[in-house]
Amino acid sequence: MKSKILASAVATLFVVAVAAPASAEIVITQKAKKFDKKKISIKKGEAVKFVNSDSISHNTHSRSSGGKFDLGVSKPGTAVSKVFDKSGKFKVRCTIHPKMKLTVKVN
Amino acid sequence: MGAYNKISKFAISMVVAVSGFATVASTAAIGAEKKSREEWKKEYVRPSEIPFPKENPYTAAKADLGRTLFFDPRLSGANYISCGTCHNPSFAWGDGLAKGIGHAMTRLGRRTPTILNLAWGEYLMWDGRFETLEQQALGPMAAAVEMNQNMKAIVAELQSIPEYRTLFNVSFPGKGITVDNIAKAIATFERTVVRGVAPFDRWIAGDEHAISTSAKRGFDLFNNKANCVACHSGWNFTDSSFHDIGMPDKDIGRGKVVPGVVVMQHAFKVPTLRNAVERAPYMHDGSLKNLYSVVEHYDNGFVTRPSKSEEIYKLNLTAPEKTDLVEFMKTLSSKDAPVALPRLPAYDQTVAGSLNVSPAAGPSTGSSAMRA
């Protein structure tokens, strides 16, 4: 009985472990007018969630060729997400606070 | 050229000489933060060196060439407006006018911004339409209402001046005179335009007698009740951000560059406050005569509309508090040595030729452009 439970638990863990990357969402925090990371590497099709933990609004956009997007303005305490479905290197910035810079490398 | 070397060396050695440098983490600009005066002072330490991009690294020869180009009126279509005509070092690299004047005395739409400390800038011009200083350097040259230069003709024009051929070959071996290299040289020079140590910097460095008691109270107000630090943060007194501060004119500023973002309508670049005393009048439209007027605007003089920055609100400052803020801003002015003008390269004296100069009686072609 114990071994069945153990096997079942291992199987569940395995499923979770395998399923995790498909639904993985990388979280980037906007705080003190900075992204909490300068560079990240992700796989094509993965999403990045931008969480505004600041006391002011932020914008999230990219002007990089082949990957332009603008997620609009995020109020404090809100979040926006972007699925990166093309390979390449994309510079993400805030149009209000242009010193905020993040490079997303999509493999 | 020698004169420029002095400026370049001065700019760099000046900042290197300031001890205790730490990269200024711009955590200061969240207005609600409560810190002591001493904690706030740590946010204002000057950097120790000027940043240059790896795509356009500093060389003394390139900066020297850029300085020569900056002050050469032959970079304009009619050969009478240089970059330095509007960015006059005697006005802390502005022009002292409410709105700039361009080709054929065309009144421009916005005040001439200073080029001071632009090495630390991001998304340049009042509306942020240029991402780099190299792009910005060419903008006014090509704008019909500003310098009205034909960018195809400028390369040939400079090629016809022997000393420029030499200077470009030294700065850009094997590449010589190109539009890109003109931009790189001017941008390199502009990055060296850094004002010297002001009384405020001496106070930050530990000299308690460098500024008045009123100015110190102004510093406290700046970082707290007046919330100026929300945008004018760090040693350069700007976070390079864009905001609608409620100026009542119709210019939508950055709204033209990013039309889909509500808060960017009527938004303009937050300028440095360094040497602000010498750069009146103020705001993108030059409508405010002095710093006291600026304080009055932020206190209660702004218009309210959907795009107004959330960091602009009624301050309820008292008259003495307004005076303290102005006294504080006065301490941001350095008294640097006058900037020497370069000797400009002479025309070729060995062959016959004529100049192809666009007429000064009105802009020729091209799109209109708002001032920086």
Side-chain angles (χ1 to χ4, degrees):
Chain A
M1 188 63 179
K2 275 185 182 175
S3 65
K4 277 187 181 174
I5 292 170
L6 186 61
S8 156
V10 169
T12 305
L13 283 173
F14 178 74
V15 169
V16 170
V18 169
S23 59
E25 192 172 48
I26 295 91
V27 175
I28 291 292
T29 302
Q30 296 158 316
K31 178 73 176 168
K33 290 191 278 187
K34 286 188 282 191
F35 293 110
D36 65 345
K37 294 185 179 67
K38 289 183 177 176
K39 293 178 185 175
I40 56 170
S41 287
I42 63 172
K43 291 176 184 169
K44 193 162 75 172
E46 286 186 325
V48 178
K49 184 178 182 181
F50 298 92
V51 179
N52 184 355
S53 298
D54 242 335
S55 59
I56 52 175
S57 298
H58 287 300
N59 159 266
T60 310
H61 78 277
S62 178
R63 290 183 187 172
S64 297
S65 60
K68 289 183 182 176
F69 65 87
D70 194 323
L71 304 180
V73 174
S74 310
K75 294 277 186 187
T78 66
V80 288
S81 289
K82 164 71 181 169
V83 175
F84 287 84
D85 50 13
K86 291 178 183 172
S87 300
K89 199 180 271 188
F90 306 99
K91 288 181 184 173
V92 179
R93 302 182 78 168
C94 168
T95 196
I96 307 167
H97 308 99
K99 284 194 181 290
M100 295 175 66
K101 296 175 187 175
L102 166 71
T103 300
V104 179
K105 188 180 177 191
V106 183
N107 300 305
Chain B
M1 306 300 150
Y4 166 67
N5 282 334
K6 282 183 187 170
I7 296 169
S8 175
K9 284 177 183 170
F10 162 76
I12 295 172
S13 63
M14 173 274 300
V15 283
V16 168
V18 177
S19 61
F21 165 72
T23 302
V24 181
S26 190
T27 55
I30 316 305
E33 278 191 80
K34 297 295 178 193
K35 297 181 187 175
S36 68
R37 178 187 284 179
E38 291 308 310
E39 284 175 313
W40 276 118
K41 286 172 74 174
K42 292 174 187 170
E43 303 284 344
Y44 292 92
V45 178
R46 294 178 68 108
S48 62
E49 58 184 29
I50 300 170
F52 290 89
K54 63 176 186 239
E55 299 82 10
N56 187 21
Y58 173 84
T59 68
K62 191 168 29 173
D64 208 3
L65 169 61
R67 177 173 177 267
T68 303
L69 291 167
F70 187 90
F71 287 106
D72 194 334
R74 291 170 293 189
L75 261 61
S76 65
N79 287 359
Y80 72 94
I81 304 173
S82 73
C83 306
T85 301
C86 296
H87 300 289
N88 182 343
S90 296
F91 275 123
W93 305 89
D95 61 11
L97 299 169
K99 287 178 179 167
I101 294 176
H103 180 72
M105 298 303 288
T106 305
R107 179 68 73 179
L108 303 175
R110 295 173 188 153
R111 182 169 73 91
T112 300
T114 182
I115 63 159
L116 198 54
N117 299 345
L118 283 188
W120 291 267
E122 300 280 356
Y123 282 4
L124 301 144
M125 315 293 255
W126 278 116
D127 57 14
R129 64 184 181 272
F130 293 129
E131 201 161 334
T132 67
L133 209 43
E134 285 73 14
Q135 294 170 5
Q136 185 277 329
L138 299 178
M141 283 174 61
V145 293
E146 295 194 46
M147 293 170 74
N148 194 37
Q149 178 60 270
N150 178 333
M151 297 308 288
K152 290 178 182 169
I154 186 63
V155 172
E157 192 173 347
L158 294 182
Q159 282 282 10
S160 73
I161 300 172
E163 191 176 339
Y164 269 129
R165 293 200 296 270
T166 304
L167 293 172
F168 272 88
N169 284 333
V170 169
S171 293
F172 304 99
K175 295 177 181 170
I177 302 175
T178 67
V179 170
D180 278 354
N181 288 344
I182 292 170
K184 284 181 175 178
I186 294 174
T188 301
F189 164 66
E190 289 184 323
R191 289 190 176 97
T192 69
V193 178
V194 181
R195 288 307 282 250
V197 172
F200 172 76
D201 300 305
R202 292 198 289 277
W203 181 57
I204 292 296
D207 179 358
E208 278 302 314
H209 302 294
I211 68 173
S212 68
T213 303
S214 172
K216 290 174 189 174
R217 287 195 303 266
F219 177 74
D220 295 337
L221 289 161
F222 188 91
N223 291 304
N224 294 284
K225 181 178 178 181
N227 198 34
C228 314
V229 71
C231 303
H232 291 285
S233 56
W235 78 276
N236 197 23
F237 291 89
T238 175
D239 63 1
S240 289
S241 60
F242 297 88
H243 297 275
D244 173 8
I245 58 166
M247 294 301 292
D249 69 335
K250 293 179 180 173
D251 189 348
I252 64 168
R254 187 153 176 74
K256 272 194 176 177
V257 180
V258 280
V261 182
V262 172
V263 295
M264 290 294 92
Q265 307 306 302
H266 302 279
F268 294 89
K269 167 72 69 185
V270 174
T272 178
L273 298 183
R274 289 275 173 182
N275 293 77
V277 169
E278 299 101 282
R279 295 190 283 108
Y282 302 104
M283 308 310 200
H284 70 272
D285 61 356
S287 62
L288 300 184
K289 182 180 178 182
N290 56 34
L291 291 173
Y292 201 94
S293 311
V294 172
V295 173
E296 289 277 17
H297 169 83
Y298 284 113
D299 183 46
N300 195 15
F302 49 85
V303 297
T304 297
R305 55 196 166 209
S307 54
K308 181 183 72 65
S309 171
E310 59 204 351
E311 292 167 292
I312 300 291
Y313 48 81
K314 289 184 181 178
L315 299 173
N316 298 314
L317 296 169
T318 64
E321 286 175 334
K322 292 172 188 175
T323 300
D324 287 343
L325 278 165
V326 173
E327 287 304 306
F328 165 64
M329 286 188 276
K330 286 181 183 174
T331 70
L332 305 181
S333 285
S334 56
K335 290 193 173 9
D336 301 334
V339 174
L341 293 175
R343 180 190 57 76
L344 298 178
Y347 284 117
D348 193 345
Q349 301 293 341
T350 62
V351 292
S354 57
L355 287 174
N356 183 20
V357 176
S358 64
S364 54
T365 57
S367 60
S368 63
M370 299 297 280
R371 160 63 73 195

